[in-house]
C-alpha cells in the first residue's frame, strides 16, 4: 500500500517526532511504501531517518516475515508553521489558536499544493494525518479532489491548546473529520475530549489503540534495578517539575529507587537546576535524548492492514 503521512512538525524536539518516526518504520517493515510530508528544515535529520529504516528492513518481531517497504521524506519550508504552544526552537512558529482565517487558509492552500505535487509522483492509496489540526482540513480537501481516503491520529495536545481555544479551528476540524475513514486515539480520555470539543461530531467512532512503549529497549534500563522513568518533552506543561518536587518524599520512603528523566525541551536546564536545589542529584538522572521503540506505533502499522485504519 502507498501511504502518505502528513506531519505538521519537524523530526526532532518533541514526543510527536519520535512517535511519527516509529510509525514510519513500523509501516515500512509491514511492507508499505511510505511518504512523509513534514516541516523538517534539516536535511541531515531526514537522512538519518531514512538510513535508520533502511538498516532495519526485515519485518516485525513475532509477526512473521514481511517484505520491506520504502520510505521517502518530503520537507516543506513555509513562512509560518502552526504550533500548539510557544516553542523557542521553532523560529517561524505561529500559535494555532491565534491564527486568523486568512492565515489558516494560506497554510492549508500551501500544504495542499505540495501534497498534490507529491501525489502526482506517489499516487497514495491512503493518507494518514498525525494530529487533528489544520492538516485534517488539508486531507479532507485532498480527498474531495483525488478521492483518496484519509485517517487521523488525534493527540491530546491539539485538543487542549487548539480546539478548546479556537471556534474557527473547531469548525474546520469538525467538518473535516466527518470525511475521515477512521479516527484513531491512544486512550479513552482523548476520545471523550474529542467528542466534548466537537459535540456536532458525536457520530464519529474512534478506533482506540493502547498506548505504551517497549521499555526493554530503553537506554534507561542500565544501572539500578528499581527506578521511575519519565520519557518525553522537558517543558513545564508536562508536569515534570511536579514529579521532581514530589521525588524527595517518594525517595525518603523508597530507599534505592532512582528517578530517570529522558528528553529535551525549552525547560530542560530549569529542571536540572531544580534537581540540584532539591538535593536529589544522586537520586535523579537526566539523559539528553532517548529513542524508544513504540509498540503503539507498530500496532497502528498492523491496524493499517487489519482494519484499514
Amino acid at each position: 500500500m502507498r501511504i502518505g503521512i502528513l506531519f505538521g512538525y519537524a523530526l526532532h524536539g518533541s514526543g510527536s517526532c519520535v512517535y511519527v518516526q516509529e510509525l514510519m518504520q513500523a509501516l515500512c517493515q509491514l511492507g508499505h511504501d511510505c511518504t512523509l510530508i513534514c516541516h523538517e528544515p534539516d536535511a541531515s535529520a531526514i537522512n538519518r531517518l531514512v538510513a535508520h529504516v533502511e538498516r532495519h528492513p526485515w519485518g516485525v518481531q513475532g509477526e512473521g516475515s514481511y517484505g520491506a517497504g520504502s520510505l521517502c521524506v518530503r520537507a516543506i519550508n513555509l513562512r509560518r508553521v502552526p504550533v500548539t504552544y510557544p516553542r523557542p526552537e521553532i523560529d517561524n512558529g505561529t500559535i494555532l489558536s491565534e491564527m486568523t482565517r486568512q492565515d489558516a487558509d494560506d497554510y492549508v492552500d500551501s500544504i495542499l499544493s505540495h501534497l498534490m505535487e507529491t501525489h502526482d509522483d506517489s499516487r497514495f492509496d491512503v493518507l494518514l494525518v498525525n494530529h487533528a489540526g489544520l492538516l485534517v482540513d488539508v486531507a479532507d480537501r485532498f480527498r474531495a479532489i483525488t478521492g483518496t481516503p484519509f485517517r487521523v491520529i488525534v493527540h491530546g495536545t491539539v485538543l487542549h491548546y487548539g480546539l478548546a481555544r479556537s471556534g474557527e479551528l473547531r469548525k474546520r476540524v469538525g467538518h473535516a473529520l466527518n470525511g475521515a475513514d477512521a479516527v484513531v486515539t491512544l486512550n479513552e480520555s482523548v476520545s471523550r475530549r474529542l467528542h466534548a470539543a466537537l459535540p456536532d461530531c458525536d457520530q464519529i467512532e474512534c478506533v482506540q489503540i493502547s498506548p505504551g512503549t517497549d521499555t526493554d529497549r530503553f537506554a534507561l534500563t542500565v544501572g539500578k534495578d528499581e527506578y521511575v522513568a519519565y520519557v518525553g518533552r522537558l517543558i513545564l506543561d508536562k508536569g515534570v517539575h511536579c514529579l521532581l518536587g514530589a521525588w524527595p518524599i517518594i525517595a525518603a520512603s523508597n530507599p534505592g529507587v532512582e528517578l530517570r528523566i529522558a528528553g529535551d525541551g525549552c525547560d530542560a536546564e530549569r529542571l536540572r537546576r531544580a534537581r540540584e536545589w532539591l538535593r536529589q542529584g544522586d537520586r535523579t538522572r537526566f539523559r539528553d535524548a532517548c529513542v524508544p521503540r513504540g509498540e503503539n506505533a507498530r500496532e497502528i502499522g498492523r491496524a493499517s492492514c487489519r482494519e484499514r485504519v
Side-chain angles (χ1 to χ4, degrees):
M1 183 180 291
R2 296 181 298 273
I3 301 175
I5 298 181
L6 282 179
F7 181 53
Y9 300 111
L11 296 175
H12 66 283
S14 70
S16 292
C17 75
V18 174
Y19 184 88
V20 81
Q21 290 183 49
E22 286 293 314
L23 178 59
M24 291 291 295
Q25 184 174 355
L27 291 172
C28 288
Q29 288 178 334
L30 289 169
H32 301 298
D33 296 319
C34 299
T35 300
L36 174 64
I37 301 167
C38 64
H39 296 302
E40 178 51 69
D42 185 358
S44 64
I46 295 174
N47 293 335
R48 285 195 298 271
L49 173 59
V50 174
H52 181 72
V53 172
E54 289 176 347
R55 286 196 302 270
H56 303 81
W58 304 117
V60 180
Q61 183 178 3
E63 291 295 319
S65 177
Y66 290 83
S70 63
L71 171 61
C72 175
V73 180
R74 299 287 183 91
I76 301 175
N77 295 316
L78 300 178
R79 185 171 60 89
R80 289 184 173 183
V81 176
V83 294
T84 49
Y85 49 80
R87 297 176 64 167
E89 74 276 12
I90 301 179
D91 296 331
N92 57 341
T94 300
I95 301 300
L96 182 61
S97 61
E98 298 176 1
M99 294 178 72
T100 66
R101 180 176 298 182
Q102 188 60 55
D103 289 338
D105 285 341
D106 291 345
Y107 176 79
V108 169
D109 290 343
S110 180
I111 298 297
L112 181 59
S113 176
H114 284 284
L115 181 58
M116 291 299 300
E117 293 178 5
T118 305
H119 181 64
D120 288 341
D121 297 330
S122 304
R123 293 294 167 184
F124 300 127
D125 296 310
V126 65
L127 193 65
L128 184 61
V129 182
N130 190 46
H131 275 297
L134 290 173
L135 292 180
V136 181
D137 194 10
V138 174
D140 191 44
R141 297 188 188 191
F142 182 70
R143 176 192 58 81
I145 296 171
T146 66
T148 304
F150 70 96
R151 288 95 196 200
V152 181
I153 304 173
V154 180
H155 299 273
T157 307
V158 170
L159 294 179
H160 180 74
Y161 292 100
L163 298 186
R165 303 182 182 186
S166 170
E168 174 65 22
L169 184 62
R170 286 196 297 274
K171 181 179 178 180
R172 282 177 178 266
V173 172
H175 174 77
L177 281 179
N178 282 316
D181 275 22
V183 177
V184 178
T185 63
L186 302 183
N187 56 62
E188 182 62 30
S189 173
V190 172
S191 299
R192 289 197 304 269
R193 289 159 61 194
L194 175 65
H195 288 132
L198 304 172
D200 295 335
C201 297
D202 55 357
Q203 73 277 14
I204 294 176
E205 293 187 10
C206 296
V207 179
Q208 186 175 321
I209 294 178
S210 300
T213 51
D214 184 358
T215 55
D216 288 339
R217 298 192 180 185
F218 279 165
L220 292 170
T221 56
V222 300
K224 297 179 181 178
D225 293 333
E226 294 186 326
Y227 63 92
V228 173
Y230 169 86
V231 182
R233 190 162 178 75
L234 299 184
I235 59 175
L236 297 184
D237 283 350
K238 299 292 187 182
V240 192
H241 59 297
C242 297
L243 178 59
L244 278 171
W247 192 247
I249 301 173
I250 298 171
S253 58
N254 295 274
V257 176
E258 186 176 75
L259 174 62
R260 302 180 186 180
I261 297 174
D264 59 14
C266 59
D267 291 320
E269 186 56 36
R270 186 183 304 181
L271 292 169
R272 286 187 172 88
R273 289 198 301 268
R275 173 189 61 177
E276 300 307 319
W277 183 79
L278 292 167
R279 298 181 180 179
Q280 292 296 311
D282 59 336
R283 299 286 299 276
T284 305
R285 283 201 277 171
F286 280 83
R287 291 182 61 88
D288 291 334
C290 182
V291 182
R293 315 294 302 168
E295 287 303 314
N296 52 344
R298 295 186 182 282
E299 191 171 345
I300 287 180
R302 298 183 190 111
S304 299
C305 294
R306 186 177 63 246
E307 302 175 15
R308 296 188 62 79
V309 172

